[in-house]
Amino acid sequence: MNNAVHTPCQLLESLNDEQKAAALYSGGPQLIIAGAGSGKTRVLMVKAVLLCTRFSVDPQHILCITFTNKAADEMKKRLASFNVTVTAKTFHAAAMSILNAHGGYLGLKRPIGVYDEQDQLELVKSCMDELHYDKKSINPGSAAEWISRQKDELIEPDAEAVGTERIYHSIYRLYQDKLTASNALDFGDLIMKAVALLKQYPDLCRHYREKYTHLLVDEYQDTNTAQAVLLKLLAGEGKNLCVVGDPDQSIYGWRGANLNNILYFEQSFPDVKIFKLERNYRSTDIILNATNALIKTNRNRRDKTLWTDLKGIHNVISYRVGSDRVEARQVCDLIEQHMENGTPLSEMAVFYRVHSLSRMMEEVMLERAIPYTIVGGLPFYQRKEIKDILCYLRVIVNPDDLIAWKRVLGVPKRGIGEKSIIKINEFAAENVIPFSDALIQCGSVPGVTAKARQGIASVVELVNSFKDEFQSQSWSTALEALLDQLCYQDYVLQNDLPEKAETRLDNIEVFKDALSEYQKEHPDAALADYLENIALRSSIDDWDTASERVSLMSLHSAKGLEFNIVYLIGMEERMLPLIRDIENAEDIEEERRLCYVGMTRAREQLYLFSSNWRSGYGRDIFSKPSRFLMELDPQTLEIRDLAGDREYSQWNKSKGKQRFKRFVEDAVACDEQFADMIDEFAPGDRVYHYDLGSGVIMGGSGAGEKKKYIVLFDGESKPRVVFASYAGLSKMDD
């Protein structure tokens, strides 16, 4: 598509007929079904420009809602080149702005704290301690996930619940009480509270409908029920509502996304007009023919067929290899070949279903000295040293922040034990006072040692003294002084190996620079605004697209990206699709959509890998090819069998498809060890440990107090044995 446009008219003329019709429509609510690579972001941008230039809409009355902060920033940047300044935010950021302005009606005070997933988990653990629930019987991570899903459906705690639900609801109820006491919200609350506010105060709802008369929403297929309700409240009858999405790219059902929002959009907005964008500007016709055949296997979708004028010269190549090490070596061979032919490393990516598959790739890339970066690993702002600093800033801004205080009290060590913190927390609950007030009164709390009282007094005094420091001088200067008083550098050097300590200290310098840069770019912002900005970021927002490295990432992280060459590894049954117990048709369809999303990131070449044997459980496990390979258009595939798998190699363009089909369908029953669960964890699950960071479950054994996990933590060459009773592990998103 032509990007060299300078006026709104030229911008409009750069669109194809389907795009143009969608951009110009102004007759009521509209749904744009936009296939992968069909230029949907461009259509939204043109629509916003035309609303302002052709239809004389004030830009201040336009609200663009995107899936990531990065997408919102890119939208604003593109529109700025046409002197159009609209409000562009994620759903959570839009809800936050509403609550910042009017949350007082619900009893919220500014600044409002925002709890991320780690904070949420720690708060759930605190609730379980207070309720005397056994963490061996009830997993805190599962409880935290359950609470999030309730909020996605706008479900409040239920005092009448029975059975396991009663336990979860009691945790949920106390969890909400503690959030309120901390003047904090989690991500589910942001939407839920905004919905409650607009429902309870119709005049306020009318105010926002008048403020934002035109709503443009991207990635609508990934919205949950609560977000759809919020949009309905803001849009009213939807006269000037435009949503863009693709049911075939809905891949977040496990996180609460409701595919029915886009499949049955007409039920919410009966007068909707539907547009389809089927011309693809990204991939070759060969890649599209392969993936069109794959996704048409799904039943829950809106029919469309992507097409392109881009003629491919390379078939999709499917490798069958003997082992995961051979797989990694073959991928690296191909990367080196493409490097020699002039393809930049930044234009190549390796995708996988679960993060554990990156380990072998990393080993071989290190051996070959191929630069790489892992996208979607532990986010920068979740690293221990950064989280420590953020928690200090949080209690300076919001002294009621319970979870931040708990971290601050223990870093650096001051002789304040967990038992003392529990006693103070119980004292606060009994006397119905904020945790910060209980800290000041710790001398009256039975069971708190003299050493702990002294440590608490010193940290409270330190925090209070720096409230003025961050207002009277630059944030970076105040932070430097704070870290000096904490002797934080000495703390890092004493508690980490030299190499890891150096990395942590380098990260702190990067954080200082980011803090300083934000204050320069936002001279009128308060420190609370910065903390809010950090809390609403996602890991993909911080990814450096210009980095000259091969990108390694999960299929979920690949959403919205594109590369010249894509290598998709681990295409085996029980890996892709990922099946851990009984098959569910809806889950298989989402796995197929996930595979489709990964494949449609490729512009020129697509390589698919499956392996006979894959290491896991401390041994090699036989794997059969993914059923999704069979569902691709065989006319677009070139099979390269490096494993001597005669049954697989006999499936080709001209014969053997039914034989291959039987071979793949047998995989549902293959090696039941692959489906074994260790509590709520399975080998390959990505987990987070409060002290050790993120890692991958390799296996486990035992029961009760002897139950243990084998975990390979990031940056370590050997796995650790972590006993379940002390594990403190929580499951991370794939």
Side-chain angles (χ1 to χ4, degrees), residues 242-271:
C242 170
V243 305
V244 181
D246 181 7
D248 292 337
Q249 297 185 74
S250 178
I251 59 173
Y252 293 107
W254 53 274
R255 203 170 66 185
N258 187 346
L259 179 62
N260 289 336
N261 287 348
I262 192 167
L263 289 181
Y264 302 106
F265 188 75
E266 298 92 328
Q267 292 182 7
S268 296
F269 300 96
D271 297 329

Side-chain angles (χ1 to χ4, degrees), residues 545-561:
T545 56
S547 176
E548 195 50 43
R549 298 169 180 268
V550 177
S551 296
L552 275 60
M553 67 185 79
S554 72
L555 287 164
H556 284 102
S557 295
K559 180 74 178 295
L561 306 178

Side-chain angles (χ1 to χ4, degrees), residues 268 505 527:
S268 296
L505 294 175
L527 185 58

Side-chain angles (χ1 to χ4, degrees), residues 39 41 51 76 103 133 182 186 191 270 302 395 416 450 456 478 554 689:
T41 304
L51 284 173
K76 287 185 283 190
Y133 288 153
S182 296
D186 62 20
I191 307 298
R302 287 181 180 265
V395 295
I416 308 169
I456 291 168
S554 72
H689 187 279

Side-chain angles (χ1 to χ4, degrees), residues 340-376:
E340 291 176 3
N341 293 331
T343 301
L345 290 175
S346 59
E347 285 296 347
M348 291 185 271
V350 180
F351 298 160
Y352 34 78
R353 177 61 180 88
V354 293
H355 285 282
S356 59
L357 294 188
S358 72
R359 182 181 64 83
M360 192 66 74
M361 285 302 314
E362 290 186 74
E363 284 185 15
V364 177
M365 285 184 163
L366 287 171
E367 290 171 5
R368 303 281 190 91
I370 297 175
Y372 69 90
T373 184
I374 296 182
V375 180

Side-chain angles (χ1 to χ4, degrees), residues 7 9 21 46 141 162 171 185 211 269 297 309 359 369 392 473 523 577 643 650 653 688 690 705 715 722:
T7 68
C9 286
V46 174
V162 296
I171 297 171
L185 304 173
K211 180 177 181 179
F269 300 96
T297 309
D309 286 334
R359 182 181 64 83
Y392 269 96
Q473 55 187 318
Q650 283 183 9
K653 297 178 186 177
Y688 182 82
Y690 192 83
E705 292 186 358
V722 182

